[in-house]
Amino acid sequence: MTEQPDPSDNSFDEIVEAETQRDPDLAVIEAGSRTLRTHSGPPQGAEVPARPTDPETDKALRAVEQELAGRWGETKLEPSVTRIAALMDVLGEPQRAYPSIHITGTNGKTSTARMIEALLNAFDLRTGRYTSPHVQSITERISLDGAPIEAERFVDTYEDIKAYVDMVDAQQDIRLSFFEVLTGMAYAAFADAPVDVAVVEVGMGGTWDATNVIDASVAVVTPISLDHTDRLGNTPAEIAGEKAGVIKQGATVILAQQPVDAAQVMLKKAVEVDATVAREGMEFGIVTREIAVGGQFLTLRGLGGEYDGIFLPLYGAHQAHNAAVALSAVEAFFGIGAEQSGSLDIEAVRKAFASVASPGRLEVVRSSPTVVLDAAHNPAGARAAADGLTEAFSFSRLIGVVGTSGDKDVRGLLEAFEPIFAEVVITQNSSGRAMDADELAAIAVEVFGNERVQVEPRLDDALEAAITLAEEEDEYAGAGVLVTGSVITVGEARLLLGRG
């Protein structure tokens, strides 16, 4: 059961009193949500950084972005850690200056990383977080204590390692890629800070991912599904084989719910390296989950016992599962469940979860009509977003704005959204990887039918068209808009809607 707020809390009583014209149970839930948000302080990492206001800093950042863009992009890979290992060597192995938690999986990695970071911060540990891709600004990828590093620091970090990058480039047949240089920057920035612990999300796969030059004591595996099949494999088991590379000798593995064949691969790898495994649904998991205004209330079972009265200001069952994984990962980092008994301080856990934000993950960015952003880019992510949206919102009519990358299972993504979209506006983002709007629309017509599909190649026109379609209903009917299909689409929409 959800822990009720202290009746002696006057602010809670005042909110309930003000809601007497509404359903009493809903009033109590809303009051609880609002008072918990008040007690937690501002959401951690809620803001996505805008461009630097100082012209010189902005110029310097653009120069670094341009230099990085001249390297191999994140989708062009040569499966090896040889180059990043060489860079770490000439930098003095900065990635070994702090313990790490390494996160792989197909969906939920960034949200889980943010939750782990918030929990560690709540226990007064200084954190470095490395995630990808970014929503709006490249500086989002490297965070210290829950906030993206400042543009000046990002530029300085690049300048600090540039000579070493050039040295490695000269020694290798293939230059360091965009992602490899960013990874080197992150590990160097964390050592320079210095941080107490790094929370690192893989870019793709695990075994040969550039991040995999760390020996993390805790390996986290979020749900595995089919994505990047041209590089990782065509079955969950094949993909799990690549991702299992983050499991190191003697580590603790926090395993989210997985397809059976993927779980078997992970368990086999754990046995090979004498790693300890904690499985969602067995050693940890969700005890109860209740919808609340602005998120959900949870009772979680961790490695050290139950944690109740947790308010998570994110929507969807998938985020509750991410929370269970994050909690157990932090318990494992502190040795709970293996080296010591007991549990984490419940008040610190509650405060940490109440502070979590995950931009671009069922994020509401506008009202009247409500516009929601979600970075789902594969069928599994789309199904989770559709379920979360249906559960948390009561839209009478939902308009989709979809722009995808060309290397994704776009039919599967569209089919996942088809039951909840009344109409869909097909568009494309500015990335070179974006699927042509007309090509995507042809697939959408096969899924939705011609009458439900509109094409607006420019994203700004697509947003305007979707909002107009939503506004065609009566003002109080409750229509909404969901922008989805790609992190890039979501990031550009966020800017266009004034959230940048």
Side-chain angles (χ1 to χ4, degrees):
M1 295 294 292
T2 302
E3 180 175 294
Q4 297 298 318
D6 185 351
S8 64
D9 187 335
N10 290 333
S11 62
F12 177 80
D13 291 336
E14 289 168 3
I15 294 170
V16 174
E17 181 69 23
E19 298 287 344
T20 53
Q21 301 305 312
R22 300 183 55 198
D23 183 292
D25 291 334
L26 289 178
V28 170
I29 291 173
E30 177 159 340
S33 301
R34 288 163 64 183
T35 52
L36 278 169
R37 284 197 295 270
T38 300
H39 294 163
S40 72
Q44 176 145 356
E47 291 191 10
V48 174
R51 296 298 309 183
T53 55
D54 177 64
E56 289 302 313
T57 302
D58 186 55
K59 180 180 178 182
L61 179 59
R62 289 185 188 278
V64 172
E65 290 171 329
Q66 186 172 0
E67 288 188 32
L68 290 172
R71 295 178 175 273
W72 269 12
E74 290 172 280
T75 59
K76 187 173 182 180
L77 305 169
E78 195 276 322
S80 167
V81 293
T82 301
R83 293 175 301 282
I84 187 67
L87 180 59
M88 292 297 99
D89 181 55
V90 297
L91 288 176
E93 304 291 344
Q95 82 282 14
R96 306 199 188 285
Y98 38 79
S100 302
I101 297 175
H102 208 175
I103 307 169
T104 190
T106 302
N107 291 308
K109 296 187 294 295
T110 298
S111 293
T112 302
R114 285 176 170 273
M115 293 178 195
I116 290 172
E117 173 186 56
L119 284 163
L120 293 168
N121 290 158
F123 290 97
D124 297 323
L125 292 182
R126 188 165 202 208
T127 56
R129 172 171 53 83
Y130 182 51
T131 54
S132 62
H134 56 274
V135 177
Q136 286 176 204
S137 171
I138 195 171
T139 61
E140 295 167 40
R141 296 178 180 234
I142 305 172
S143 292
L144 294 174
D145 291 333
I149 64 173
E150 295 180 352
E152 296 92 335
R153 190 166 192 164
F154 185 91
V155 171
D156 288 345
T157 301
Y158 177 76
E159 294 298 335
D160 286 344
I161 74 166
K162 187 176 185 301
Y164 300 97
V165 169
D166 292 341
M167 186 187 307
V168 173
D169 282 344
Q171 297 170 349
Q172 302 292 323
D173 294 334
I174 301 171
R175 289 203 312 159
L176 288 156
S177 69
F178 169 89
F179 187 72
E180 287 170 331
V181 175
L182 273 176
T183 301
M185 290 173 61
Y187 290 159
F190 296 162
D192 183 63
V195 302
D196 298 314
V197 55
V199 182
V200 178
E201 173 189 332
V202 303
M204 187 185 301
T207 300
W208 43 259
D209 187 72
T211 63
N212 203 29
V213 287
I214 54 175
D215 291 318
S217 60
V218 178
V220 175
V221 187
T222 66
I224 292 172
S225 60
L226 299 183
D227 198 9
H228 301 296
T229 53
D230 56 329
R231 301 176 182 86
L232 302 179
N234 294 307
T235 68
E238 290 177 351
I239 294 172
E242 290 294 336
K243 294 183 182 294
V246 304
I247 302 174
K248 303 300 171 60
Q249 187 73 35
T252 299
V253 184
I254 305 299
L255 196 60
Q257 291 179 347
Q258 304 290 347
V260 173
D261 55 348
Q264 289 173 339
V265 171
M266 289 291 173
L267 292 172
K268 180 181 178 182
K269 177 60 183 284
V271 170
E272 291 173 355
V273 297
D274 196 28
T276 301
V277 179
R279 300 154 295 176
E280 184 180 6
M282 300 290 285
E283 286 77 24
F284 69 92
I286 301 169
V287 178
T288 64
R289 189 174 78 89
E290 300 176 27
I291 307 306
V293 174
Q296 51 196 308
F297 275 115
L298 309 173
T299 297
L300 302 176
R301 186 178 76 253
L303 307 180
E306 286 195 5
Y307 299 78
D308 63 2
I310 294 171
F311 174 67
L312 181 67
L314 301 175
Y315 300 110
H318 61 294
Q319 295 290 16
H321 287 286
N322 291 340
V325 169
L327 175 63
S328 297
V330 173
E331 286 183 310
F333 180 78
F334 286 123
I336 291 173
E339 301 168 14
Q340 64 185 63
S341 58
S343 58
L344 300 175
D345 178 74
I346 184 62
E347 291 304 325
V349 169
R350 288 171 180 159
K351 187 169 185 177
F353 276 121
S355 75
V356 171
S358 195
R361 278 73 181 178
L362 289 181
E363 179 188 18
V364 178
V365 293
R366 171 185 164 147
S367 57
S368 300
T370 300
V371 178
V372 183
L373 307 180
D374 193 87
H377 56 274
N378 55 45
R383 287 191 292 271
D387 290 345
L389 200 74
T390 301
E391 176 184 78
F393 299 87
S394 300
F395 293 126
S396 57
R397 184 162 168 263
L398 183 64
I399 311 299
V401 175
V402 180
T404 69
S405 296
D407 58 348
K408 300 296 181 181
D409 179 3
V410 296
R411 181 180 296 275
L413 181 140
L414 291 170
E415 288 174 345
F417 283 123
E418 190 277 332
I420 69 168
F421 286 165
E423 297 180 63
V424 61
V425 181
I426 297 299
T427 189
Q428 65 188 75
N429 58 57
S430 64
S431 166
R433 296 171 55 200
M435 176 173 274
D436 177 77
D438 290 332
E439 184 181 350
L440 179 57
I443 301 172
V445 167
E446 294 176 4
V447 174
F448 289 86
N450 189 62
E451 297 77 12
R452 295 167 63 194
V453 178
Q454 182 172 332
V455 184
E456 295 290 351
R458 286 171 52 104
L459 182 56
D460 54 349
D461 292 337
L463 292 171
E464 183 178 352
I467 290 169
T468 300
L469 286 169
E471 288 175 338
E472 284 178 358
E473 287 215 341
D474 183 80
E475 182 181 355
Y476 302 103
V481 174
L482 174 66
V483 183
T484 189
S486 163
V487 175
I488 298 168
T489 301
V490 162
E492 293 181 354
R494 212 172 182 276
L495 280 170
L496 289 167
L497 293 165
R499 294 300 292 262

